[in-house]
Amino acid sequence: MASGDRRAALGGEEYEETRDFNRDLARRLSLFPDQWSFPPSVIRERRAEGLGPFPAPPKLDHAETLIIPGPHGDIPLRILRPQTRPCQGVFLHLHGGGWTLGGASEQDPRLAEIAERTGLAAVSVEYRLAPEHPYPQAPDDCEGAALWLHLNGADVFGPGIHAIGGESAGANLAATTLLRLRDRHGLSDLFAGAVFSCGCFDLRLTPSARNWGEEKLVLNTRDISMFARHYLADGHSPYDPDISPLLARLEGMVPAHFSVGTRDPLLDDTLFMAERWRAAGNVTELAVYPGGCHVFQRFDLRIARESNQAIDRFLAHLIPSG
């Protein structure tokens, strides 16, 4: 991709499958106790054991773990290399979970799929989580991982391109990492492109997040507020562009693919960020999926397969032909 504006927006009506899934998901989530009645550490343990509303994610045997130094101590990287094709670079992945939950090992099948479809080794960062490790520790870890990749990527993975991305809070951290590389290190060209899935880019809460209410489709307004509270436990301001990258100066950023569903409380975050990205002169793809809930790409749905295929095409097109 050179310069210009590339946009891929899905229209049309919501699939019946998606409506049925959302209805059943809201019903199932309503049967579970309020997650905020437990400390985040307990929520993480229950999720890892598959005791929450979603099954424990499978872990793949061929995943590797590499420990690198970071500003707050060691940072584990979970690596899934292509198994059926040569490695052509790295996709640096930052997981979601509201800066409070989640982990690098919780999306092995999807990251392995990215590796096989694109030829990019998926490298997921086990960054520190709030409230035990509030801002700025998570973005510091992600910045540290990106700088490590800059210095060591070719030796560990061979020559190739680098891309970055994440979902939800991970999309926020990916944007912050790109901004830090540009502003602190003069490394605007370290990554060839970025993928932002269902991102949270404004911790002041955009209108869709603020007005969503109590309905639980993976995420609701209270969840977003609680995640932001944990992340900013040391009192930092959501008006800081390092925390809310929607507020940052966005000129000179990499080509980006944004995706979100219309039934996501963070819909406005993606719509606003994609338009600011484009207006700043950056190549921008925006895909909006009718009826998609928050992080719908993780569920067995037609729109999830369509979105993941679009993401993989975007990443594959970043690799120079020949």
Side-chain angles (χ1 to χ4, degrees), residues 33-199:
D34 175 21
Q35 70 175 352
W36 301 114
S37 62
F38 304 97
S41 59
V42 174
I43 303 172
R44 292 181 208 126
E45 291 172 3
R46 291 176 62 86
R47 283 173 51 138
E49 296 170 1
L51 298 177
F54 307 111
K59 294 177 173 56
L60 301 184
D61 291 339
H62 69 274
E64 311 166 35
T65 298
L66 178 65
I67 307 297
I68 65 170
H72 303 286
D74 290 344
I75 305 170
L77 304 178
R78 189 167 180 86
I79 301 168
L80 287 150
R81 301 175 189 262
Q83 299 295 291
T84 61
R85 57 189 297 178
C87 184
Q88 300 190 72
V90 171
F91 174 60
L92 188 68
H93 172 258
L94 308 176
H95 68 79
W99 310 275
T100 304
L101 308 174
S105 65
E106 293 187 8
Q107 47 278 312
D108 278 6
R110 172 59 185 144
L111 294 181
E113 182 177 66
I114 289 175
E116 296 308 322
R117 286 181 175 175
T118 68
L120 299 176
V123 178
S124 193
V125 181
E126 194 74 81
Y127 58 83
R128 285 165 174 77
L129 298 175
E132 298 91 337
H133 305 283
Y135 173 87
Q137 294 195 45
D140 287 352
D141 283 348
C142 297
E143 177 187 9
L147 293 173
W148 176 88
L149 185 63
H150 171 60
L151 295 174
N152 301 281
D155 291 336
V156 177
F157 302 101
I161 65 105
H162 299 151
I164 190 171
E167 60 280 346
S168 195
N172 169 290
L173 292 169
T176 295
T177 299
L178 289 168
L179 289 163
R180 287 182 172 202
L181 291 174
R182 182 195 68 186
D183 297 339
R184 298 182 179 186
H185 307 285
L187 292 173
S188 296
D189 59 352
L190 174 58
F191 292 101
V195 171
F196 301 119
S197 299
C198 313

Side-chain angles (χ1 to χ4, degrees), residues 244-262:
S244 297
L246 180 67
L247 307 179
R249 180 177 59 84
L250 297 176
E251 290 80 9
M253 303 303 283
V254 299
H257 176 94
F258 293 84
S259 64
V260 71
T262 60

Side-chain angles (χ1 to χ4, degrees), residues 202 204-216 219-225 262-269 272:
D202 188 350
R204 302 171 306 173
L205 273 66
T206 56
S208 64
R210 189 175 298 276
N211 297 325
W212 177 268
E214 297 180 359
E215 182 185 17
K216 187 84 165 182
L219 196 65
N220 62 20
T221 297
R222 184 179 178 222
D223 294 328
I224 301 168
S225 297
T262 60
R263 294 283 288 145
D264 188 335
L266 296 175
L267 172 62
D268 283 351
D269 286 67
F272 295 175

